C-alpha cells in the first residue's frame, strides 16, 4: 500500500510539473481581447480626458494657429448616452482660459440631444434636433482605438500605480485609420470624421491595463503626420486643419457606479438656446457683432462706474466706462473686459489681484519673460520683441507695464501688454491688453492708449 501511495504521489507531482510547464504569460493580444471584453460589459465610467495640440486652420487664404489644452473630468452612462464633463479649456490665442461644465442628455423620445453648458456662473441650454452621436461613453469602447491588422506589442517591463501592476501595450497604424480616429472624434466632438481625410495620418496608441482585473487604466493617443510631421487634414468644405503634437490621454477611474446622469436644477432652468455655438458659426459677422454688443448688467456706483472686486469680494475699485469701447458680454464683477472694434481693434481686461507675498509684485514681469523664452525655443514664432518695464502716471497713479510682440506661423501678429498699478499694500489692479493687427508691425496700442486705459479709476 505504501508503495502504491508513493507512485500516486510521484505521478501527481509529474502531472503538476507538466501543467506548470505548459503555463505561459499572456500575450498582448490575450490581454487586449480580455480587456475589450471586460470593458464592453461596463455600463458607465468616470475618468479624465486631457487633450493637448497645436492647431492651425486655413480657409479662403486666411490662416490661424494656436495651442490648445482641454482638461475634463468625465462621467458617462452607456445605455442612455448621457454624460457630464467638467474642467478647463485653454488656448494661447488671446490668452483664452475658461472653466467649463457640460451635461449632454439625449431626449427620451429620441428627438435629439439637449446640452447644458456653464461658463463662469451662468448656465445656458441648447437643443440639437438631430441625434448626431456625441456619445462620450463610446470612449470606453477600446476597439475604437484598434485597427484591423495592426500589431500589438507588450512591453517587457510592467508599471505600477497605487500598488497595482499595469501591463503596457503599444500599437500604431499609418495607412487606413479613418474609422478608428473617426470613432474617437465622434465620441469627443460629435463628428464622425466622414468629411475629414486622415489618409496621411499616423496614430500611436498606448494602453495601460490592470493585471489583476484586466480593466484599462488609461489609453494614450498621439496623432501626427507621417514620420512625426504636422498632420494636414483637408475636408469637403475646402478648409484645412493642421494638427501638431496632438496628444489625448483618457484615464479610467471607476466603472459601473452610475445608473444615470442628473442635471442640476439651475441648469434645467437655463434659458433655451441662449448659447448656440454651432449656430453662431453659421451667422454672418454683422449678426454676431450685433448680438455681442449687448452689455451684461453689472453693478455700478452712483456715478455710473463699474465696480470691480477681487476674487474674495473683500476689496473693490471703480472703473469708468472706457471711451470708444464696448464691455464684453462675459464680463462679471471680478473680470471686466472691454474691446474696441474696427481699425486698430484691441481688448483690455481688468482684474483686481490680492498680493500674498513680495514675489507677487514681480509675477507679471517674470511671466512675460518666460513667455518670451518659450517662444524663442519654438520654430513657429518669429519677430519676438520684449520691452522691459516702463512707467508713467495716470490720474496721480504710477503705472508699470511690459510688452511682448511676436509673429506666429508667419501669418498671425500679436501684441501683449501687461500693465498694473498698486491699489494699496495688498492689492494691484491688472490690465491685460491684446491686439491682433492685420498687417505686420501696425500696432495701435502704445503708451498713450495704455495711459488712457488707466484714467477714470478710483479706489
Amino acid at each position: 500500500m505504501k508503495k502504491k501511495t508513493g507512485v500516486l504521489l510521484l505521478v501527481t507531482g509529474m502531472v503538476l510539473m507538466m501543467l506548470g510547464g505548459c503555463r505561459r504569460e499572456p500575450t498582448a493580444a490575450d490581454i487586449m481581447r480580455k480587456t475589450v471584453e471586460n470593458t464592453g460589459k461596463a455600463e458607465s465610467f468616470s475618468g479624465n480626458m486631457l487633450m493637448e495640440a497645436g492647431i492651425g486652420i486655413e480657409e479662403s487664404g486666411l490662416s490661424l494657429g494656436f495651442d490648445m489644452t482641454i482638461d475634463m473630468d468625465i462621467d458617462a452612462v452607456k445605455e442612455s448616452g448621457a454624460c457630464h464633463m467638467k474642467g478647463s479649456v485653454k488656448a494661447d490665442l488671446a490668452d483664452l482660459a475658461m472653466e467649463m461644465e457640460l451635461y449632454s442628455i439625449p431626449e427620451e423620445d429620441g428627438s435629439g440631444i439637449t446640452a447644458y453648458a456653464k461658463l463662469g456662473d451662468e448656465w445656458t441650454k441648447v437643443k440639437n434636433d438631430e441625434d448626431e452621436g456625441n456619445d462620450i461613453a463610446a470612449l470606453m469602447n477600446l476597439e475604437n482605438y484598434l485597427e484591423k491588422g495592426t500589431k500589438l506589442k507588450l512591453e517587457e517591463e510592467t508599471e505600477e500605480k497605487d500598488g497595482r501592476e499595469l501591463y503596457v501595450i503599444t500599437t500604431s497604424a499609418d495607412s487606413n485609420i479613418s474609422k478608428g480616429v473617426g470613432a474617437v472624434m465622434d465620441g469627443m466632438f460629435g463628428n464622425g470624421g466622414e468629411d475629414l481625410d486622415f489618409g496621411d495620418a499616423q496614430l500611436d496608441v498606448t494602453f495601460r491595463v490592470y493585471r489583476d482585473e484586466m480593466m484599462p487604466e488609461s489609453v494614450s493617443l498621439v496623432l501626427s503626420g507621417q514620420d512625426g510631421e504636422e498632420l494636414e487634414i483637408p475636408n469637403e468644405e475646402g478648409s484645412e486643419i493642421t494638427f501638431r503634437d496632438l496628444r489625448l490621454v483618457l484615464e479610467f477611474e471607476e466603472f459601473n457606479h452610475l445608473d444615470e446622469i442628473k442635471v442640476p436644477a439651475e441648469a434645467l432652468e437655463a434659458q433655451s438656446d441662449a448659447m448656440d455655438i454651432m449656430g453662431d458659426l453659421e451667422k454672418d459677422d454683422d449678426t454676431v457683432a450685433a448680438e455681442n454688443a449687448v452689455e451684461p448688467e453689472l453693478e455700478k456706483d452712483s456715478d455710473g462706474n463699474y465696480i470691480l472686486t477681487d476674487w474674495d469680494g473683500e476689496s473693490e475699485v471703480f472703473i469708468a466706462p472706457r471711451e470708444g469701447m464696448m464691455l464684453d458680454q462675459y464680463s462679471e464683477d471680478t473680470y471686466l473686459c472691454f474691446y474696441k472694434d474696427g481699425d486698430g481693434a484691441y481688448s483690455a481686461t481688468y482684474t483686481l489681484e490680492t498680493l500674498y507675498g513680495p514675489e507677487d509684485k514681480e509675477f507679471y514681469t517674470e511671466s512675460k519673460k518666460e513667455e518670451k523664452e518659450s517662444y524663442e525655443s519654438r520654430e513657429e514664432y518669429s519677430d519676438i520683441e520684449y520691452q522691459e518695464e516702463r512707467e508713467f502716471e495716470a490720474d496721480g497713479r504710477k503705472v508699470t507695464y511690459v510688452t511682448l510682440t511676436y509673429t506666429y506661423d508667419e501669418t498671425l501678429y500679436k501684441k501683449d501688454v501687461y500693465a498694473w498699478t498698486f491699489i494699496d499694500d495688498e492689492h494691484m489692479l491688472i490690465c491685460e491688453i491684446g491686439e491682433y493687427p492685420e498687417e505686420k508691425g501696425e500696432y495701435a496700442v502704445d503708451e498713450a492708449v495704455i495711459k488712457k486705459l488707466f484714467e477714470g479709476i478710483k479706489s
Side-chain angles (χ1 to χ4, degrees):
M1 192 67 166
K2 291 182 179 179
K3 186 176 181 180
K4 290 183 180 179
T5 302
V7 172
L8 178 61
L9 290 175
L10 178 61
V11 171
T12 302
M14 292 177 65
V15 170
L16 291 174
M17 289 177 63
M18 291 173 64
L19 290 174
C22 290
R23 288 190 61 187
R24 63 177 176 84
E25 286 295 315
T27 65
D30 294 332
I31 296 169
M32 287 308 304
R33 189 180 301 111
K34 189 63 177 177
T35 305
V36 168
E37 177 185 343
N38 291 342
T39 310
K41 297 176 182 178
E43 294 301 325
S44 66
F45 86 96
S46 292
N48 176 268
M49 181 184 73
L50 175 66
M51 189 186 82
E52 300 173 314
I55 300 174
I57 302 174
E58 183 172 343
E59 185 173 6
S60 302
L62 300 177
S63 60
L64 181 68
F66 53 93
D67 292 332
M68 174 172 282
T69 300
I70 301 175
D71 189 351
M72 291 283 183
D73 292 328
I74 302 174
D75 294 311
V77 177
K78 182 188 295 183
E79 182 177 1
S80 66
C83 75
H84 172 224
M85 303 176 69
K86 184 177 182 179
S88 62
V89 178
K90 299 179 181 179
D92 63 359
L93 182 65
D95 296 324
L96 170 69
M98 63 181 178
E99 298 298 312
M100 183 176 182
E101 187 169 5
L102 175 69
Y103 288 86
S104 180
I105 309 296
E107 296 295 327
E108 293 183 358
D109 61 2
S111 61
I113 294 175
T114 299
Y116 304 85
K118 183 181 182 181
L119 295 175
D121 295 325
E122 183 178 358
W123 283 99
T124 55
K125 177 169 62 177
V126 178
K127 172 68 181 298
N128 186 349
D129 294 331
E130 297 181 11
D131 188 357
E132 296 179 347
N134 196 24
D135 186 4
I136 297 299
L139 292 174
M140 65 179 172
N141 295 336
L142 300 188
E143 60 267 30
N144 285 342
Y145 308 94
L146 296 170
E147 289 297 323
K148 185 177 180 180
T150 58
K151 294 182 179 180
L152 297 170
K153 177 185 177 184
L154 176 62
E155 298 296 325
E156 293 183 3
E157 298 294 331
T158 59
E159 296 181 0
E160 185 177 307
K161 180 179 180 180
D162 298 330
R164 300 172 66 186
E165 192 173 7
L166 296 171
Y167 288 119
V168 180
I169 298 172
T170 59
T171 185
S172 62
D174 58 6
S175 57
N176 182 23
I177 67 171
S178 299
K179 180 180 177 181
V181 174
V184 174
M185 290 186 67
D186 181 65
M188 289 190 296
F189 307 113
N191 184 333
E194 293 88 352
D195 60 341
L196 301 178
D197 180 8
F198 291 92
D200 294 328
Q202 177 172 316
L203 180 67
D204 296 310
V205 187
T206 301
F207 301 94
R208 287 175 171 81
V209 176
Y210 288 111
R211 181 171 183 170
D212 54 0
E213 292 183 347
M214 290 294 184
M215 291 292 280
E217 182 273 335
S218 65
V219 180
S220 302
L221 309 177
V222 177
L223 184 65
S224 64
Q226 293 294 321
D227 301 320
E229 298 294 326
E230 289 187 350
L231 174 62
E232 297 181 353
I233 304 177
N235 66 17
E236 293 178 353
E237 302 299 325
S239 60
E240 185 174 277
I241 302 174
T242 301
F243 289 112
R244 172 178 40 79
D245 301 327
L246 173 61
R247 175 175 171 265
L248 172 69
V249 179
L250 180 66
E251 292 186 349
F252 299 97
E253 297 173 356
E254 197 169 0
F255 290 95
N256 291 319
H257 64 298
L258 292 172
D259 294 323
E260 62 178 331
I261 301 291
K262 294 184 177 180
V263 181
E266 58 267 29
L268 293 172
E269 296 170 359
Q271 182 179 353
S272 181
D273 297 327
M275 184 192 67
D276 188 346
I277 297 176
M278 296 309 297
D280 281 347
L281 293 178
E282 297 174 358
K283 297 172 185 175
D284 58 53
D285 293 340
D286 292 338
T287 301
V288 174
E291 293 176 351
N292 289 341
V294 179
E295 293 192 358
E297 295 183 3
L298 299 179
E299 187 178 359
K300 296 181 181 180
D301 65 9
S302 58
D303 296 324
N305 301 313
Y306 294 103
I307 302 176
L308 177 68
T309 68
D310 63 359
W311 293 103
D312 297 326
E314 298 178 355
S315 185
E316 59 187 20
V317 295
F318 306 92
I319 300 178
R322 306 289 87 182
E323 183 180 352
M325 303 183 75
M326 293 292 296
L327 185 66
D328 184 82
Q329 61 178 330
Y330 296 113
S331 295
E332 53 189 48
D333 294 337
T334 58
Y335 170 93
L336 292 180
C337 179
F338 298 88
Y339 63 92
K340 177 183 179 300
D341 277 334
D343 295 335
Y346 60 89
S347 64
T349 303
Y350 297 87
T351 55
L352 184 59
E353 304 291 341
T354 302
L355 302 175
Y356 296 99
E359 66 278 1
D360 289 353
K361 295 184 177 181
E362 307 297 328
F363 172 79
Y364 288 94
T365 299
E366 295 302 319
S367 65
K368 273 302 166 206
K369 288 181 179 179
E370 291 175 1
E371 283 186 28
K372 170 180 176 291
E373 294 172 358
S374 173
Y375 294 160
E376 288 176 339
S377 66
R378 297 163 61 178
E379 294 182 356
E380 63 268 29
Y381 289 88
S382 60
D383 305 317
I384 304 167
E385 295 185 10
Y386 173 74
Q387 176 187 284
E388 296 283 353
E389 288 187 9
R390 293 188 179 182
E391 295 181 353
F392 61 83
E393 282 197 3
D395 287 351
R397 295 182 182 275
K398 185 176 77 171
V399 178
T400 307
Y401 71 96
V402 294
T403 301
L404 180 64
T405 60
Y406 57 85
T407 299
Y408 180 83
D409 203 22
E410 300 183 355
T411 57
L412 181 66
Y413 313 111
K414 177 72 184 294
K415 184 171 191 175
D416 283 333
V417 180
Y418 276 3
W420 62 90
T421 185
F422 294 100
I423 301 303
D424 52 41
D425 292 338
E426 297 181 353
H427 298 89
M428 61 192 298
L429 177 67
I430 309 296
C431 183
E432 300 181 29
I433 309 164
E435 180 182 5
Y436 291 91
E438 294 185 1
E439 300 295 334
K440 182 177 180 180
E442 295 187 0
Y443 295 109
V445 176
D446 55 17
E447 187 167 297
V449 170
I450 303 171
K451 184 176 182 179
K452 187 175 181 180
L453 291 171
F454 277 84
E455 294 175 347
I457 294 174
K458 303 175 183 178
S459 59

